[in-house]
């Protein structure tokens, strides 16, 4: 294994990887897993060419992931999703769709939970808890079941019904809260010590982001190690965006890609757009968004602990942040469905709607290569169509 230690994303303090860790013990900010890339660079069996023939899952990048080499991952076949060339959508741009709805439990949340549950189990956790807007709960329930661990999931009462039923049928303990995901997180923080739960909240443990970073490795590999001009990513807690950026830096250190980075665009809902507001007003962190509401439940995150990391990435990459109205999102579901044959989640649909406005305002030019992440399946959101 090439994981050496954990490092605080804010104050840089080192932490040991070999015990269960949540936030930085000094400043309460997220920790990143640090991989010994210099050692990996020298390794003959970990080159771009040596990936060919490996299993079609995120574990093909095993060397840059945590988990000792002799420990079997908790896996349901996550990752290895298709990158599809858009047939009709996105006039005059070279548009690609990374379809994450083909993961176990039908969303990209499987990537993060596969790695985080594998590590939590290895480090001795027995009871796992997470707040969820829906899809993360389903993924945690599935991987906990697979690992033989208990899952305690706290979801807002208005979470799509499919997510709630899914968690229960996967054997999780589900608690519905009258409030938002932040209220669910607060409830876990209040009870976890007494109950003996390990907190698996987004960026409050270090390994979900490691699973999510495989989005970046996979995209680079599928694009023959040439990253696109722009990436549109539906942003709630931000692990996908943050994970991909980490992957790009790691791949540059490995000598797999050059310094060029895509412009990263964070797409949010107009009813809950803390990152868009903070980006536009030049803030380094994002204030809690009041009265958060949107049908895209994954985007209903009024305050994210990784806000300062996301804002840094959006600015460094010369990208931006853009909000989309719910009606435009829902309209985009049918447009994408009928033109591309994909029943996308409203979060994914938001990116297609955002692409139109980025084109109209000239922030994406003719002929540019653009990647949209469809992070989940529309089938979990039937409540939106009643
Ligand atoms: C379908 C979907 N897309 C996007 C998001 C936001 O993801 P992230 O927390 O990585 O920003 C979520 C989170 O729940 C989701 O379920
Ligand atoms: Zn710190």
């Amino acid at each position: 294994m090439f994981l050496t230690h954990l490092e605080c994303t804010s104050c840089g303090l080192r932490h040991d990887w070999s015990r269960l860790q949540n936030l930085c013990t000094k400043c309460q900010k997220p920790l990143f897993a640090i991989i010994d890339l210099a050692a990996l660079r020298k390794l003959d069996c970990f080159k771009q060419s040596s990936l060919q023939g490996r299993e079609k899952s995120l574990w093909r990048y095993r060397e840059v992931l945590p988990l000792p080499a002799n420990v079997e991952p908790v896996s349901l076949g996550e990752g290895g999703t298709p990158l599809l060339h858009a047939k009709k959508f996105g006039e005059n741009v070279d548009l690609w769709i990374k379809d994450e709805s083909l993961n176990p439990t039908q969303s990209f949340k499987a990537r993060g939970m596969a790695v985080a549950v594998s590590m939590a189990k290895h480090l001795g956790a027995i009871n796992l808890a997470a707040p969820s807007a829906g899809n993360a709960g389903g993924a945690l329930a599935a991987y906990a079941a697979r690992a033989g661990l208990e899952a305690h999931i706290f979801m807002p009462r208005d979470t799509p019904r499919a997510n709630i039923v899914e968690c229960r049928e996967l054997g999780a303990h589900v608690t519905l809260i009258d409030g938002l995901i932040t209220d669910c997180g607060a409830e876990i923080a209040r009870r976890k010590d007494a109950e003996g739960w390990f907190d698996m909240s987004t960026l409050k443990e270090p390994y979900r982001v490691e699973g999510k970073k495989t989005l970046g490795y996979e995209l680079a590999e599928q694009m023959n190690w040439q990253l696109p001009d722009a990436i549109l990513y539906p942003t709630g807690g931000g692990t996908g965006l943050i994970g991909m950026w980490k992957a790009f830096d790691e791949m540059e250190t490995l000598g797999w890609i050059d310094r060029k980075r895509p412009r990263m665009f964070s797409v949010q809902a107009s009813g809950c757009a803390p990152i868009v507001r903070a980006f536009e007003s030049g803030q380094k962190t994002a204030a809690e968004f009041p009265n958060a509401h949107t049908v895209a439940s994954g985007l209903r995150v009024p305050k994210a602990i990784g806000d300062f990391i996301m804002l840094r990435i959006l600015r460094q990459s010369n990208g931006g942040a853009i909000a989309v109205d719910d009606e435009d999102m829902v309209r985009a579901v049918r447009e994408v469905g009928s033109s591309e044959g994909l029943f996308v989640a409203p979060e994914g649909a938001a990116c297609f709607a955002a692409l139109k406005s980025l084109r109209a305002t000239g922030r994406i030019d003719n002929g540019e290569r653009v990647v949209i992440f469809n992070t989940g399946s529309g089938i979990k959101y039937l409540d939106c169509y009643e």
Side-chain angles (χ1 to χ4, degrees):
M1 184 182 64
F2 294 86
L3 168 65
T4 58
H5 62 280
L6 303 172
E7 192 173 283
C8 177
T9 50
S10 182
C11 77
L13 187 69
R14 275 177 87 112
H15 293 66
D16 188 1
W17 70 264
S18 66
R19 50 179 291 243
L20 289 167
Q21 291 277 5
N22 286 112
L23 296 171
C24 172
T25 50
K26 187 166 144 211
C27 74
Q28 304 299 309
K29 295 286 189 247
L31 299 176
F32 264 5
I34 305 300
I35 311 291
D36 187 353
L37 298 165
L40 270 177
R41 207 182 158 141
K42 292 192 208 121
L43 213 65
D44 279 340
C45 58
F46 193 59
K47 301 274 177 247
Q48 286 149 301
S49 55
S50 56
L51 296 172
Q52 282 161 22
R54 289 192 178 192
E55 67 177 298
K56 194 168 151 266
S57 87
L58 60 78
W59 299 101
R60 72 196 270 112
Y61 310 108
R62 179 83 190 235
E63 287 88 339
V64 290
L65 292 173
L67 202 69
N70 60 344
V71 179
E72 196 182 332
V74 180
S75 176
L76 292 161
E78 50 288 334
T81 59
L83 179 68
L84 304 166
H85 201 209
K87 291 289 175 206
K88 294 187 187 139
F89 208 96
E91 228 176 298
N92 297 326
V93 284
D94 181 18
L95 178 62
W96 295 80
I97 308 163
K98 182 79 174 143
D99 188 14
E100 287 292 299
S101 70
L102 286 162
N103 275 298
T105 68
Q106 294 80 53
S107 92
F108 75 141
K109 296 280 176 184
R111 292 180 188 263
M113 287 302 183
V115 175
V117 171
S118 293
M119 279 303 277
K121 178 177 178 167
H122 174 62
L123 297 177
I126 295 169
N127 298 297
L128 309 178
S132 172
N135 286 313
L140 175 60
Y143 287 94
R146 187 86 178 164
L149 305 178
E150 265 193 27
H152 299 265
I153 296 163
F154 289 74
M155 300 198 272
R157 195 171 297 283
D158 56 0
T159 297
R161 198 172 124 72
N163 297 124
I164 299 172
V165 174
E166 175 185 38
C167 289
R168 290 200 177 116
E169 297 309 312
L170 286 164
H173 303 270
V174 177
T175 308
L176 300 179
I177 298 273
D178 293 310
L180 295 165
I181 188 165
T182 35
D183 301 302
C184 298
E187 181 70 4
I188 292 175
R190 203 171 56 74
R191 291 176 55 190
K192 65 179 184 181
D193 289 340
E195 305 274 0
W197 297 335
F198 180 63
D199 188 348
M200 300 282 281
S201 301
T202 293
L203 289 166
K204 288 189 188 165
E205 69 73 58
Y207 301 115
R208 281 174 68 180
V209 75
E210 289 300 294
K212 291 279 189 79
K213 87 180 177 190
T214 61
L215 287 169
Y217 278 90
E218 220 171 276
L219 183 65
E221 190 182 356
Q222 286 172 316
M223 299 200 119
N224 207 16
W225 312 104
Q226 298 287 325
L227 296 178
D229 298 303
I231 286 179
L232 274 58
Y233 172 82
T235 311
T239 25
L241 188 85
I242 294 169
M244 261 189 277
W245 198 252
K246 186 172 189 281
F248 298 157
D249 285 346
E250 288 180 1
M251 286 188 285
E252 188 186 339
T253 308
L254 288 170
W256 289 9
I257 60 168
D258 60 20
R259 294 188 60 189
K260 183 178 169 279
R261 295 287 183 276
R263 304 198 304 285
M264 306 293 281
F265 289 95
S266 165
V267 180
Q268 299 201 301
S270 309
C272 182
I275 299 298
V276 179
R277 268 197 188 170
F279 183 84
E280 285 174 351
S281 58
Q283 305 292 313
K284 287 193 175 142
T285 59
E288 180 155 349
F289 199 91
N291 306 317
H293 62 91
T294 166
V295 293
S297 48
L299 306 185
R300 206 157 53 208
V301 182
K303 175 80 189 155
I305 190 164
D307 54 358
F308 68 103
I309 312 175
M310 281 187 262
L311 287 160
R312 202 165 60 203
I313 294 169
L314 300 179
R315 292 188 177 117
Q316 257 180 30
S317 76
N318 253 326
I322 180 160
V324 173
D325 290 341
D326 276 18
E327 304 96 81
D328 295 333
M329 251 181 245
V330 174
R331 198 172 309 122
V333 171
R334 184 166 303 184
E335 282 178 44
V336 177
S338 57
S339 64
E340 305 296 336
L342 298 171
F343 185 17
V344 299
E347 292 85 348
C351 295
F352 289 88
L355 176 62
K356 286 188 191 175
S357 54
L358 290 170
R359 294 280 293 138
T361 53
R363 284 192 281 170
I364 289 182
D365 272 340
N366 276 346
E368 286 202 294
R369 177 166 288 179
V370 179
V371 173
I372 280 180
F373 281 85
N374 173 43
T375 43
S377 166
I379 210 83
K380 297 251 179 109
Y381 297 79
L382 298 182
D383 325 28
C384 294
Y385 304 92
E386 276 158 12

